[in-house]
Amino acid sequence: MSALIETKNLHFQYLHHQSQNEWILNGIDLTIRNGEFIAILGSNGCGKSTLAKHFNALLTPSDGTVLVNGRDTNDEKNQFEIRKTIGMVFQNPDNQLISTIVEEDVAFAPENLGIAPSEIRSRVNWALDAVDMLDYKRHTPFKLSGGQKQRVAIAGILAMRPQCIVLDEPTSMLDPKGRSDVMKTICRLNRELGITIVLITHHMEEAARAKRVILMDQGQIASDDTPENTFEQIELLKKLKLDVPQITELTHRMRQHGILIPKRMVQIDQCVDALAAALEERYGHY
Ligand SMILES: Nc1ncnc2c1ncn2[C@@H]1O[C@H](COP(=O)(O)OP(=O)(O)O)[C@@H](O)[C@H]1O
Ligand SMILES: [Mg+2]
């Protein structure tokens, strides 16, 4: 897999930040490859959003470099191309919808890219279909649920045909159904369309769906590993004030009760299978 985003010794400080001596990003070395599904976790203020904005040149390094497909984000000539390559989705869907009709909203970005109308139409249909919102094409976004709005916002980014979508806490304002629909959409975009996903989240179960989890702490990378290995580091998670995922907690406590259940499980399905096997082991057919 080729490198899509590369940060090298990335340092960043906001010009008007109060603590002038501290780096907000303090030496981030990170390579994100095409097709990956990465989750970024870390407590409030550790620099997640600041890092995300470096991936599509919304911010540029104070020191060090960020390359997207080998192009330096510091070079203004590259920024247009970079913003087409790496799409961003933010927390509040209401701030990302502009038009009064769903399909017009999704067409907005490609129109700005100067794409031909017939091509825009096919992209809009394709993008709305990919987020399962094609039936709402002629609806007004304002009457949709939060989860539906967020999926329309994702379709608007998809219509630019990005290689990567960076989502900054996209489910934090949604109800459980909205969260689950948005997560299904994100997983499908990665699995079926091969779109690289960078998901910033507070929800451990969401991070567990990724293939790689990055823990951030005060502008640095504290861990970069599979979800299974990441969630085993209970002390580190606690130090960073992150929750232990419920599955980890549950299987940990079951082991303490002498139920033979393997470590390193992050998905409900794995847990159910292991629990069924442990029960069978103990009681035969139950
Ligand atoms: N526009 C800004 N100007 C000055 N400081 C900022 C700005 N945005 C964020 N910060 C500061 O940078 C630090 C990291 O913020 P952020 O990247 O938003 O963290 P996170 O997304 O992990 O919560 C925080 O201390 C925050 O107060
Ligand atoms: Mg943030």
Side-chain angles (χ1 to χ4, degrees):
M1 284 192 287
S2 56
L4 176 58
I5 301 171
E6 258 185 300
T7 76
K8 294 179 188 163
N9 195 31
L10 165 58
H11 284 76
F12 181 79
Q13 190 173 48
Y14 288 100
L15 274 180
H16 304 293
H17 195 255
Q18 285 168 346
S19 48
Q20 284 294 326
N21 313 324
E22 277 178 35
W23 293 108
I24 302 295
L25 299 179
N26 190 5
I28 303 263
D29 288 292
L30 182 62
T31 301
I32 297 175
R33 291 175 196 81
N34 259 313
E36 281 198 290
F37 182 174
I38 297 182
I40 301 181
L41 289 169
S43 55
N44 270 337
C46 74
K48 302 180 297 295
S49 297
T50 304
L51 177 62
K53 287 176 187 159
H54 278 81
F55 294 158
N56 82 337
L58 280 177
L59 292 173
T60 52
S62 308
D63 198 12
T65 47
V66 177
L67 306 176
V68 175
N69 283 328
R71 293 187 172 94
D72 195 327
T73 60
N74 248 326
D75 188 339
E76 281 178 26
K77 288 197 304 293
N78 293 332
Q79 291 180 353
F80 180 68
E81 193 57 37
I82 287 170
R83 294 199 180 121
K84 277 197 296 181
T85 306
I86 315 285
M88 296 277 284
V89 173
F90 297 98
Q91 215 172 61
N92 188 346
D94 286 322
N95 296 343
Q96 301 171 85
L97 304 176
I98 323 136
S99 307
T100 50
I101 310 283
V102 164
E103 63 180 346
E104 282 175 14
D105 217 288
V106 177
F108 188 80
E111 272 166 2
N112 277 352
L113 297 178
I115 288 159
S118 61
E119 163 76 7
I120 289 179
R121 260 192 302 280
S122 78
R123 283 193 189 197
V124 166
N125 287 336
W126 168 80
L128 281 171
D129 191 35
V131 302
D132 220 2
M133 285 297 288
L134 195 52
D135 292 345
Y136 293 84
K137 184 166 140 154
R138 305 209 195 277
H139 287 229
T140 175
F142 307 110
K143 291 191 181 156
L144 301 176
S145 71
Q148 291 172 326
K149 283 183 196 170
Q150 195 60 294
R151 283 184 287 142
V152 172
I154 294 172
I157 298 299
L158 265 184
M160 293 195 296
R161 295 206 176 268
Q163 272 176 274
C164 171
I165 304 184
V166 179
L167 305 105
D168 193 351
E169 304 195 21
T171 66
S172 62
M173 301 183 73
L174 309 180
D175 60 21
K177 164 86 169 106
R179 276 182 55 196
S180 142
D181 288 345
V182 166
M183 276 310 295
K184 270 186 212 144
T185 299
I186 293 170
C187 293
R188 177 154 21 100
L189 297 181
N190 176 254
R191 199 179 54 239
E192 291 174 16
L193 303 177
I195 294 174
T196 308
I197 298 287
V198 179
L199 172 68
I200 297 172
T201 179
H202 268 118
H203 298 284
M204 299 298 135
E205 321 81 67
E206 292 182 3
R209 309 272 289 267
K211 300 273 161 47
R212 177 177 168 197
V213 177
I214 290 166
L215 300 183
M216 278 186 74
D217 181 26
Q218 297 178 39
Q220 296 185 321
I221 293 179
S223 167
D224 178 352
D225 213 325
T226 59
E228 288 82 359
N229 290 341
T230 305
F231 294 136
E232 247 185 34
Q233 306 178 66
I234 294 178
E235 291 312 312
L236 178 62
L237 293 173
K238 285 189 178 153
K239 184 178 147 233
L240 302 187
K241 301 192 171 55
L242 296 169
D243 294 330
V244 176
Q246 285 185 333
I247 301 271
T248 308
E249 184 80 40
L250 178 71
T251 53
H252 179 67
R253 294 224 200 141
M254 286 195 294
R255 277 192 301 276
Q256 285 178 334
H257 279 271
I259 299 172
L260 294 172
I261 198 160
K263 287 185 174 181
R264 295 165 170 260
M265 277 185 296
V266 291
Q267 306 280 359
I268 288 181
D269 290 347
Q270 296 172 316
C271 182
V272 169
D273 289 348
L275 188 55
L279 285 171
E280 175 141 4
E281 170 88 20
R282 186 174 280 198
Y283 301 113
H285 281 291
Y286 58 91

